[in-house]
Amino acid sequence: MAAAEKTLRGRAARGGHYGVIALFTIFSAFPFYWMLITTFKSTPDLLKRGNNPFILNEAPTLEHLKVLFYDTLYGQWLWNTFFVGAIVVAITLVLAVPAGYALARMMGPAGEKLGIAIFLTYLVPPTLLFIPMSRIIGDLGLQDSLWSLVLVYPSFTIPFSTWLLMGFFKAIPKDLEEAAMIDGLSRFGAFVKVVIPISVAGILTTVIFTLTLVMQEFVYAVTFITAARNFTVSVGVPTFLVHGDVYFWGSLMAGCFISSVPVALLYNFFVDRFIAGFTMGAVKG
């Protein structure tokens, strides 16, 4: 009797576990499903109130994709977003990796306080910073140029990435570097040949975090860019597909879905390393 009761409890626990996972999966995947199904719905199907909004009530259509790619500059906006994102990621890694390592190895409370001070600069709202930033962009003659975004975005990606990597580097035992230096490597050589290879999770976390911030940033992009050909996806899609109170829902969802798929795939391919890097930085930071 006791064994049967124990088996029943075990099955109930597994059922509850799988139920929670199923609910979380549905909750996480629903936005992608909604964007995908709306992309291929005809306009009458979208607007008719009696239709079931969760399925295709009529034959699928490509009209919203045609509007997105032929009536807007969506392809150019995707390229602009990738261009800015790639350069900002490179700048962030070049500056944040050595800065995080230096702060992690700095002895005493000074390193900890300096790391927290750098992180606090990330918390300053962009709505307060874009006014002085606009003066700098104007003096440099970078108005309506993608290089203005390349200059501004590292101001908030580097502080957080430095703090994140500092926590990750703290988790690496100093004995590994000291053993490498005893074997003849310099401090820089030990950093490049020993620390960097075992810090892939933290560096990958920085790459994903930076790329995501660049893709979703709106305030600076709409402030410094005025020409449609220089828009990024986050500005171009709502600017051209929302006319007053008229929303091109199918094309809006198509634009959001296409731009979000690469980031979603990146998260899924490297989810284990991403979680490891993020949690380690949070705990040790």
Side-chain angles (χ1 to χ4, degrees):
M1 188 66 180
E5 185 178 349
K6 186 176 181 181
T7 303
L8 186 61
R9 285 183 179 177
R11 290 177 178 175
R14 283 197 298 273
H17 179 70
Y18 289 131
V20 171
I21 293 177
L23 287 176
F24 184 75
T25 303
I26 293 172
F27 178 78
S28 302
F30 182 75
F32 291 93
Y33 172 75
W34 186 262
M35 289 189 288
L36 184 63
I37 197 171
T38 306
T39 297
F40 295 104
K41 274 191 173 185
S42 64
T43 302
D45 189 5
L46 278 171
L47 301 180
K48 192 174 181 180
R49 292 187 175 182
N51 286 346
N52 186 341
F54 302 106
I55 62 173
L56 290 171
N57 299 283
E58 300 178 7
T61 178
L62 297 177
E63 63 175 301
H64 303 305
L65 289 173
K66 290 180 181 176
V67 170
L68 183 65
F69 283 98
Y70 291 104
D71 294 348
T72 70
L73 298 172
Y74 186 71
Q76 181 66 41
W77 301 336
L78 282 176
W79 166 252
N80 293 341
T81 304
F82 172 77
F83 174 78
V84 174
I87 297 180
V88 172
V89 166
I91 294 173
T92 301
L93 288 180
V94 167
L95 297 179
V97 171
Y101 178 74
L103 287 172
R105 292 296 181 255
M106 185 178 291
M107 300 298 292
E112 190 74 24
K113 292 180 180 178
L114 187 56
I116 294 174
I118 291 174
F119 172 72
L120 290 178
T121 61
Y122 168 74
L123 303 179
V124 179
T127 49
L128 296 179
L129 289 177
F130 83 88
I131 295 176
M133 286 290 187
S134 63
R135 179 64 181 273
I136 296 174
I137 296 299
D139 291 343
L140 294 175
L142 295 177
Q143 302 99 326
D144 197 21
S145 169
L146 291 176
W147 291 106
S148 63
L149 304 182
V150 172
L151 179 67
V152 170
Y153 285 170
S155 65
F156 56 80
T157 60
I158 290 175
F160 183 82
S161 299
T162 300
W163 173 80
L164 184 67
L165 287 167
M166 179 185 72
F168 191 86
F169 288 134
K170 278 185 176 179
I172 299 176
K174 294 180 181 179
D175 296 345
L176 295 176
E177 301 158 62
E178 292 172 355
M181 287 188 284
I182 291 174
D183 290 339
L185 291 178
S186 61
R187 166 69 72 175
F188 181 73
F191 172 67
V192 172
K193 295 183 179 180
V194 177
V195 176
I196 292 295
I198 59 178
S199 305
V200 174
I203 294 174
L204 189 60
T205 303
T206 302
V207 171
I208 295 174
F209 169 78
T210 303
L211 191 60
T212 304
L213 276 185
V214 170
M215 292 188 68
Q216 70 183 17
E217 202 285 323
F218 182 80
V219 174
Y220 290 131
V222 78
T223 302
F224 299 139
I225 303 295
T226 54
R229 68 180 183 282
N230 291 332
F231 281 166
T232 55
V233 170
S234 61
V235 175
V237 168
T239 301
F240 274 78
L241 297 175
V242 179
H243 297 172
D245 58 350
V246 178
Y247 291 75
F248 294 81
W249 286 114
S251 301
L252 278 169
M253 293 297 103
C256 296
F257 180 78
I258 294 172
S259 60
S260 60
V261 164
V263 178
L265 291 177
L266 197 62
Y267 269 95
N268 280 278
F269 281 139
F270 302 103
V271 61
D272 293 338
R273 292 177 179 272
F274 178 75
I275 293 174
F278 217 102
T279 53
M280 192 171 293
V283 172
K284 295 294 182 180

